[in-house]
Amino acid sequence: MARIGEHAVVVGAGMGGLLAARVLSDHYDRVTVVERDALPDGPQARRGVPQGRHVHGLLPRGKDLLEEFFPGFEAQMRAAGAIDCDVLGEVNFQMAGRTLAQVSTGYRGLQASRPHVEHHVRQRVLSIPNVTLRDRSQVSGVITNSSATRVTGVTVHDAGGAEDLGADLVVAATGRGAIVPAWLDILGYPRPREEGTTIDIVYRSAFVELEPGALGTDKSLTIGVRELPPRALALFAVEGRNRYVLTLIGHAGEQPPADPAGFLDFAAALAPPHVRAALRRGELITDVATFRYKANLRRRYERLDRFPSGLLAVGDGLCSFSPVYGQGMTIAAIQMRVLQRCLAAGGERDLARRFYTAVTPEIDIAWQLTVIADSAMPHVGPHPDPAIRVAVAALDPVLAAAERDPVVAATLYRVMGLTQRPAALLRPDLVARIGVGAARAAAEVALAEAERRAGRIGGFVAALGPAQCLAAVKRR
Ligand SMILES: Cc1cc2nc3c(=O)[nH]c(=O)nc-3n(C[C@H](O)[C@H](O)[C@H](O)COP(=O)(O)OP(=O)(O)OC[C@H]3O[C@@H](n4cnc5c(N)ncnc54)[C@H](O)[C@@H]3O)c2cc1C
């Protein structure tokens, strides 16, 4: 790999920062990751990543990229207890009253808690000889050249006091907060425009121990209910014997209870009978954690006409989407794949502009999927963009077809997993399958309704007897 510089600093050792360090280590003599938390030796949740206590699905594209960044990663995770699952064969995914057809796609997925994923990524990054981790250290500001056109380092505070750390490149992976926009203010640059939609969701989660086979042959269960008030449940088997993470989600003011009994009741009301029974016999092994998520957020750095060189904002600081669709870690990995290409193609030359421009279409795809799914919720008003409204209208037919047709289900799953572009659903053969599937679903609903009515008339006749029935009709 071409050498670009002597020292790169990454701020933040979450998934974004760790993956950035992996990519930078190919091009800089030294990479220092600065993290304000005391990082645990094992897969424990920590203060700086409070979302780690909630379900963290790893989308197929994210899993594939982790394997590319760290060859052997999947095997390492499985050996350490992560759950191997047959996608979609062992994934029970229900949305808006539809269950995706459970067929094997030939693809193996990985399920683990967020601390487990982060721990193994951290181990791999720390095994890279030119990467150093400096935890319990908070970055409080950037240092620049005299004209403030180039960032030349950061100021770090730790127990020993403050220190300036020089760098050819500073990558800020500090999460969703506005650290880079604040730095831009101080340096006299414009802030990026922020876009987002209010989604107002509350996550409540706990780890639970359930009896073996609690989900039958499934490894995960996801249920999204759209009727007001919209609610969702995710129950994923994770590392550890009979251990699961149970996340309950309330939208639009609905809050799953935080007390253990109420929490389990809320879950039981959503779960199918066999899971309900298993939950009743199960045991919460952690407290119930809460995360309030107000709005999707995108910072449009690609639209700025001035930005200091030697600095990049990545990860959730660039885009942070509704966690419901499980995209965050995967988007962070996609960003780093783009950074890898940008560094290989042009080094630090005009890096910020090239990176933000190249990453925008990748973010667009995930963003649109999120916006479409959010806009289908009854408490979110119709989207101003007609194209999004059309996509929202198409969602129900797609889900109806995906319930019966394994090809539609597998394609939809790949699109949601970011391994296939949404345009895959517009292929003529898929459109035909969706049309047939949706028509069949509508016909089945009409038939069931007709049978229900006929049954009511039949029951009426049986209860009263034909003569009384005739008399009743005559009286009318
Ligand atoms: C409730 C919830 C559920 C989610 N579920 C999923 C899911 O199912 N699947 C999925 O892929 N993604 C999910 N996500 C998103 C995912 O967690 C993030 O997108 C992903 O972790 C990338 O985050 P990041 O590295 O940019 O930031 P973070 O993970 O927030 O890490 C930022 C790091 O920077 C450190 N830091 C901050 N400021 C400083 C400073 N000044 N100096 C030094 N260090 C600093 C913090 O301590 C922290 O370690 C979820 C998010 C939430 C909120």
Side-chain angles (χ1 to χ4, degrees), residues 60-286:
R61 179 91 187 276
K63 193 208 74 169
D64 292 350
L65 284 170
L66 288 180
E67 181 66 26
E68 282 177 33
F69 287 137
F70 310 106
F73 183 78
E74 288 188 48
Q76 175 190 338
M77 288 282 286
R78 288 197 180 98
I83 306 295
D84 173 85
C85 75
D86 179 335
V87 177
L88 283 159
E90 296 173 323
V91 170
N92 186 330
F93 189 89
Q94 305 180 20
M95 196 196 271
R98 309 280 189 194
T99 304
L100 294 201
Q102 283 195 280
V103 283
S104 174
T105 55
Y107 186 89
R108 308 300 304 184
L110 268 189
Q111 288 178 196
S113 68
R114 159 67 191 250
H116 194 80
V117 177
E118 189 178 297
H119 168 71
H120 285 278
V121 169
R122 192 163 64 232
Q123 293 306 306
R124 293 296 293 262
V125 171
L126 293 183
S127 72
I128 303 172
N130 59 339
V131 175
T132 309
L133 174 69
R134 195 173 154 169
D135 65 350
R136 298 182 174 92
S137 303
Q138 171 142 0
V139 167
S140 57
V142 273
I143 308 161
T144 64
N145 61 0
S146 57
S147 53
T149 51
R150 176 168 196 88
V151 167
T152 56
V154 289
T155 305
V156 180
H157 280 81
D158 62 14
E163 185 196 344
D164 287 348
L165 213 57
D168 300 299
L169 178 66
V170 172
V171 175
T174 48
R176 181 185 161 108
I179 196 168
V180 171
W183 289 344
L184 293 176
D185 274 350
I186 294 166
L187 299 177
Y189 286 83
R191 277 180 171 237
R193 215 181 87 195
E194 293 190 349
E195 290 175 4
T197 37
T198 301
I199 50 170
D200 195 12
I201 53 178
V202 176
Y203 262 58
R204 288 230 154 95
S205 304
F207 284 80
V208 293
E209 194 176 318
L210 300 179
E211 62 203 11
L215 293 184
T217 54
D218 297 332
K219 304 279 175 63
S220 73
L221 168 68
T222 306
I223 301 176
V225 176
R226 247 197 239 148
E227 288 86 45
L228 285 167
R231 283 155 295 148
L233 169 153
L235 180 60
F236 278 50
V238 293
E239 73 283 353
R241 228 170 105 79
N242 302 324
R243 200 160 159 263
Y244 294 75
V245 56
L246 171 61
T247 288
L248 305 176
I249 304 167
H251 298 250
E254 169 88 336
Q255 297 195 16
D259 66 288
F263 177 79
L264 284 173
D265 283 347
F266 188 100
L270 285 171
H274 69 289
V275 176
R276 193 179 309 150
L279 285 171
R280 296 264 179 242
R281 290 191 290 271
E283 192 189 337
L284 293 195
I285 50 179
T286 62

Side-chain angles (χ1 to χ4, degrees), residues 11-17 34-37 46 48-49 51 54-57 114 137-139 173-176 179 203 291 293 314-317 323 326-330 332:
V11 191
M15 289 296 286
V34 185
E35 166 58 48
R36 68 179 170 199
D37 271 2
R46 61 190 176 88
V49 182
Q51 70 268 35
H54 303 269
V55 72
H56 261 64
R114 159 67 191 250
S137 303
Q138 171 142 0
V139 167
T174 48
R176 181 185 161 108
I179 196 168
Y203 262 58
F291 198 107
Y293 192 96
V314 301
D316 281 7
Q327 295 170 325
M329 298 188 294
T330 296

Side-chain angles (χ1 to χ4, degrees), residues 457-475:
I457 293 167
F460 184 64
V461 171
L464 290 181
Q468 280 168 298
C469 213
L470 207 59
V473 172
K474 274 187 186 160
R475 272 202 301 278

